[in-house]
Amino acid sequence: MIDVLIVGGGPAGLATAIRCAQAGLSVTVAEPRAGPVDKACGEGLMPAAVARLAEIGVRPAGRPLRGIRYLDPGHRADALFRHGPGLGVRRTTLHAALAARAAQCGIPVLPVRVTGFTRHSGGVTAAGVEARYLVAADGLHSAIRRACALEPPPARYPRFGLRRHYRVAPWSDLVEVHWGPDSEAYVTPVADDLVGVAVLGGARGGYQSRLAAFPALRERLAGAAPASDIRGAGPLRQDVARRAAGSVLFVGDASGYLDALTGEGIGVALAQAAALADCLAAGRAGDYERAWRRASRRSWLLTAGLLWARRQPVLASRIVPAAQRLPRLFTRIVNLAGEA
Ligand SMILES: Cc1cc2nc3c(=O)[nH]c(=O)nc-3n(C[C@H](O)[C@H](O)[C@H](O)COP(=O)(O)OP(=O)(O)OC[C@H]3O[C@@H](n4cnc5c(N)ncnc54)[C@H](O)[C@@H]3O)c2cc1C
């Protein structure tokens, strides 16, 4: 019997595995997709995420990010990170770096999809592995969460995300967030000749039709060759009631997710991973719910607040003008998010 079986080898699963191994626990990961794994993502790591990766010995190559820029047709506001740069990094690069570190730590990865498990007095069995704990890190639409009857109710205002890359030299070292009437487009420099463009919003629609809401951005991208397939995700919001079901524990998107609007998903997943590994190493799995809340609270509040403002017809069109008029407040909020 091992200590921890982790279902899902994304950032949350691999970071939890590395931290557990570093704490002396025996750990195995189940991840069906052959690496390096890609995913719909804005690919902007906030400074806190970069620091958390460095803590576990993971330093992926990417483009340093100096801050966040909000834009609408008449306004522009820049907020610079105060405590070191963030990083624009392709998901495949991030996955390869995490997987290499996990391999260095001697963590086995089973190429299997896990959709169920059986409980027994000592813990759980899944994919033929007996473990004291099963950690579900299987993403936004977690099969393990479903198996535990912890499916969240459908989101009241569902939002979706789509992303694609373009072969073009980045024109900024800030993540640009273009605010449209009812969607946002994120531009993240990820290499010297590559930017990622993620579009978030309520309507399902196709990528090109959503991009049409951002004429200035479309002009920037004119002539740039698409450099990846379009990938999507959603509905984004997953209000999960709790983080544990006996010896099954949830981390990352599987443990609950609000929105990609503030670009902190990976940073928060890494913070939750650290909290979970600490609880398991100390033999106090029961403390995880509280630790998870501590790790996620600030990001949850900031994202919920911004989403709420986004939905108010009067406020939505004033977000970028307010950020431009109140640069210190905007910088403070961006840095609160980046350090969360
Ligand atoms: C459009 C969009 C833009 C975003 N932009 C940003 C951003 O700029 N910055 C940021 O920090 N975050 C961003 N996020 C959020 C970020 O992508 C997620 O929070 C992050 O990927 C969560 O990591 P995870 O490991 O929990 O889940 P995932 O990355 O989804 O990994 C889950 C893993 O589990 C595996 N898996 C799934 N089912 C099973 C199963 N049954 N058995 C075994 N394995 C399984 C999958 O193959 C996958 O490898 C964005 C999200 C979206 C949708």
Side-chain angles (χ1 to χ4, degrees):
M1 163 131 68
I2 61 167
D3 293 315
V4 190
L5 173 63
I6 297 180
V7 175
L14 289 175
T16 307
I18 294 165
R19 289 214 178 244
C20 284
Q22 286 174 335
L25 300 172
S26 51
V27 56
T28 293
V29 174
E31 167 58 59
R33 294 163 71 196
V37 172
D38 206 354
K39 177 191 180 290
C41 185
E43 301 181 327
L45 296 184
M46 297 294 242
V50 178
R52 288 203 177 273
L53 285 171
E55 274 170 23
I56 55 171
V58 176
R59 292 178 182 81
R63 287 269 305 195
L65 301 172
R66 275 194 318 127
I68 307 286
R69 170 174 294 155
Y70 275 15
L71 302 120
D72 72 11
H75 306 87
R76 171 177 144 160
D78 290 359
L80 301 186
F81 295 136
R82 286 179 178 147
H83 305 288
L87 194 70
V89 55
R90 277 290 280 122
R91 284 296 293 230
T92 43
T93 307
L94 175 63
H95 183 263
L98 279 159
R101 183 71 181 123
Q104 231 175 37
C105 295
I107 298 165
V109 179
L110 308 176
V112 291
R113 182 171 296 281
V114 180
T115 53
F117 58 88
T118 53
R119 295 184 195 272
H120 48 78
S121 56
V124 293
T125 299
V129 177
E130 254 185 74
R132 285 168 58 215
Y133 296 102
L134 187 154
V135 168
D138 51 346
L140 213 50
H141 305 291
S142 165
I144 299 297
R145 205 172 60 203
R146 214 163 28 248
C148 292
L150 276 176
E151 262 315 77
R156 201 157 154 210
Y157 307 102
R159 286 179 26 109
F160 303 83
L162 293 168
R163 77 92 177 98
R164 170 169 248 186
H165 296 89
Y166 291 86
R167 188 68 61 196
V168 60
W171 54 88
S172 171
D173 51 8
L174 283 73
V175 174
E176 281 191 353
V177 185
H178 295 251
W179 290 76
D182 32 45
S183 56
E184 308 90 43
Y186 284 68
V187 184
T188 310
V190 291
D192 292 347
D193 60 349
L194 195 67
V195 299
V197 181
V199 187
L200 298 175
R204 273 182 187 264
Y207 184 81
Q208 291 306 335
S209 67
R210 292 225 218 156
L211 208 54
F214 306 97
L217 177 57
R218 285 242 305 204
E219 215 166 287
R220 279 268 189 202
L221 295 172
S228 65
D229 294 337
I230 296 165
R231 277 182 185 265
L236 300 176
R237 184 164 188 151
Q238 306 288 328
D239 284 302
V240 180
R242 55 197 161 89
R243 259 43 61 183
S247 42
V248 178
L249 301 139
F250 296 86
V251 70
D253 287 3
S255 68
Y257 189 70
L258 207 42
D259 202 271
L261 192 56
T262 49
E264 299 158 277
I266 296 169
V268 173
L270 296 173
Q272 295 166 352
L276 177 52
D278 283 351
C279 290
L280 294 180
R284 290 203 307 267
D287 289 353
Y288 176 53
E289 178 70 36
R290 201 160 3 112
W292 182 93
R293 286 179 188 276
R294 249 195 327 270
S296 322
R297 185 181 299 125
R298 191 193 289 181
S299 155
W300 198 276
L301 290 174
L302 287 169
T303 309
L306 195 53
L307 277 175
W308 177 83
R310 183 54 163 147
R311 281 199 305 274
Q312 314 308 311
V314 181
L315 291 181
S317 61
R318 297 190 182 162
I319 291 173
V320 187
Q324 182 182 295
R325 212 168 41 250
L326 303 166
R328 284 168 59 159
L329 178 64
F330 179 45
T331 299
R332 180 152 169 66
I333 292 171
V334 163
N335 277 277
L336 278 174
E339 291 158 15

